Amino acid sequence: MKYARIIGTGGYLPPNIFTNADWEERVATTDEWIVERTGIKSRHIAGVDETAASMGTIAAQKALESANVAAKDIELILVATGTPDKIFPATACLIQKNLKIPTCIAFDIQAACSGFVYALSIAEQYIKSGTVSKALIVCSELMSRLIDWSDRSTCVLFGDGAGAVILEASSAPGILATGLYADGNYDKLLYVDNQQLRENKNYISKTSHQYLENLHPFIQMQGQRVFKLAVAKLGDLIKDIQLKHKITLEEIDWLIPHQANMRIIQATADKLHLPMEKVICTVETHSNTSSASIPLALDIAVRDGRIKKGQTVLFEAIGGGLTWGFALAKL
Ligand code: UT7
């Protein structure tokens, strides 16, 4: 049987660090509130010249180096981002150009914070079907450009960064199972409207204006409802993993959850009966980097030697859509 194996990881965090004290100077918040409710102490904020493609290119370069794979051998580029440089071409094509990757399949996916698990599952299908043998996944997010810097209920939660992995066809086990889910009925709980749609409004009829005037260009979130759904849906995932995929919890060496809130991470670990020592947490210093949060955490834990070759890692995420899902992989 052909598997898709993760053979390299890379990450990029902008050098500029923004602490909770920096937010205290801008909005009516406190370090105490942010730490108690979320576990976040700081986040990285991209410079004015940085984009999803520029950050993603650095993360991808590092992943290629760690996998010892040449750019010319990549046959599929998948980029998950909610902050693409352009509406089109896809950020995947821009990263392809930057890395001088020859003609291949390249496209972006939009699954908000679940982007990494969605991308893993898509890349796995391409590899298992024999269509490609090496794939690059990049998750790159400029959340600082999507927040309203005066809205304390959302601005303190997010940060910027990029993570990447290289996948390869292998006869040895790699990705063992994936499960993807979405329910668009929850679209109003967490969203950003497309501001671009406003631009040509003068040419459109008066009735359309009302819709266009109400567009929200910044993150809108019903925090408590998303929190409760996150705990419930991630709990359901665990049952799914055990029943449908017949995977026992003892087989899981590490959990790498989406890094949105320490309380959600703790609740998920409890449901898995995993001690927190088996959970990779970066939310304290990265905050929520949407789809980039899991591959960034993976890269850090692989490079610092916590996650070792042959170990089994469970990735799980939930985000706007709502979308949610998991991937279980032997590294
Ligand atoms: O990545 C995609 C998935 N996203 C998530 O998983 C996020 C899920 N949601 C959450 O993590 C939490 O709901 C938040 C961290 C966003 C909020 O925590 P909460 O415990 O649900 O707080 P809350 O929204 O119920 O707000 C409690 C109070 C409110 O004041 P009142 O009405 O009780 O007087 C807020 O106005 O905290 C207030 N508040 C703040 N106070 C200080 C909201 N934001 C802040 C702030 N600083 N930054």
Side-chain angles (χ1 to χ4, degrees):
M1 186 190 175
K2 197 176 265 187
Y3 288 96
R5 276 193 60 222
I6 296 175
I7 57 163
T9 65
Y12 172 75
L13 288 159
N16 179 30
I17 293 172
F18 205 83
T19 65
N20 290 348
D22 292 321
W23 275 122
E24 281 175 350
E25 284 175 20
R26 287 178 171 265
V27 290
T29 192
T30 59
D31 174 57
E32 195 190 0
W33 189 95
I34 302 171
V35 173
E36 195 183 295
R37 304 286 174 131
T38 70
I40 297 167
K41 290 186 179 163
S42 62
R43 69 288 289 147
H44 293 254
I45 302 289
V48 284
D49 295 332
E50 294 192 285
T51 69
S54 73
M55 297 195 309
T57 300
I58 300 170
Q61 254 160 351
K62 290 184 179 168
L64 285 166
E65 280 161 25
S66 84
N68 202 18
V69 164
K72 69 173 175 50
D73 294 329
I74 295 296
E75 296 162 305
L76 166 69
I77 307 167
L78 274 177
V79 174
T81 181
T83 53
D85 293 29
K86 300 169 190 291
I87 288 178
F88 62 84
T91 305
C93 298
L94 305 179
I95 291 175
Q96 177 189 26
K97 180 177 109 173
N98 292 345
L99 293 173
K100 300 188 174 52
I101 296 174
T103 304
C104 69
I105 308 168
F107 59 96
D108 290 0
I109 62 163
Q110 171 54 281
C113 300
S114 311
F116 181 66
V117 288
Y118 265 69
L120 271 185
S121 177
I122 297 167
E124 186 204 11
Q125 303 303 320
Y126 272 95
I127 287 173
K128 273 171 76 171
S129 68
T131 310
V132 307
S133 59
K134 285 192 177 57
L136 163 66
I137 292 175
V138 181
C139 301
S140 187
E141 306 278 9
L142 277 167
M143 302 309 286
S144 62
R145 312 267 168 89
L146 289 184
I147 50 171
D148 175 348
W149 282 59
S150 63
D151 174 10
R152 70 174 185 174
S153 70
T154 51
C155 67
V156 301
L157 306 173
F158 296 94
D160 301 331
V165 298
I166 308 291
L167 288 158
E168 182 181 61
S170 168
S171 54
I175 294 177
L176 304 171
T178 62
L180 303 182
Y181 308 85
D183 187 344
N185 290 306
Y186 295 117
D187 65 329
K188 299 282 190 297
L189 295 192
L190 178 52
Y191 68 93
V192 181
D193 283 324
N194 182 356
Q195 196 179 15
Q196 181 65 29
L197 299 177
R198 251 183 233 263
E199 294 304 311
N200 267 338
K201 69 180 177 198
N202 291 337
Y203 303 101
I204 306 171
S205 76
K206 267 206 159 67
T207 43
S208 306
H209 276 203
Q210 205 175 6
Y211 160 72
L212 294 171
E213 294 302 341
N214 289 332
L215 289 179
H216 291 289
F218 301 120
I219 291 175
Q220 306 291 313
M221 178 164 75
Q222 293 180 36
Q224 268 200 19
R225 286 199 63 197
V226 175
F227 187 101
K228 284 180 187 150
L229 278 162
V231 173
K233 298 288 183 202
L234 297 176
D236 290 348
L237 275 189
I238 291 159
K239 283 185 216 141
D240 203 24
I241 293 164
Q242 289 173 288
L243 297 174
K244 207 159 95 194
H245 298 277
K246 308 266 181 278
I247 290 157
T248 62
L249 299 180
E250 292 73 41
E251 290 174 60
I252 300 167
D253 294 304
W254 293 99
L255 169 67
I256 306 189
H258 169 48
Q259 311 283 320
N261 186 315
M262 200 59 202
R263 289 184 291 148
I264 299 174
I265 294 174
Q266 178 79 61
T268 311
D270 288 350
K271 285 187 179 163
L272 278 165
H273 305 294
L274 269 185
M276 286 307 278
E277 297 80 58
K278 296 265 184 181
V279 184
I280 307 296
C281 295
T282 53
V283 67
E284 183 178 322
T285 52
H286 294 185
S287 76
N288 183 345
T289 58
S290 191
S291 71
S293 83
I294 296 177
L296 265 170
L298 172 66
D299 183 53
I300 283 171
V302 166
R303 285 174 194 267
D304 70 19
R306 270 178 294 172
I307 297 183
K308 295 181 177 58
K309 204 165 185 290
Q311 290 189 319
T312 302
V313 183
L314 174 64
F315 307 107
E316 51 82 357
I318 183 162
L322 289 181
T323 57
W324 64 101
F326 78 90
L328 190 76
K330 201 174 256 304
L331 292 203

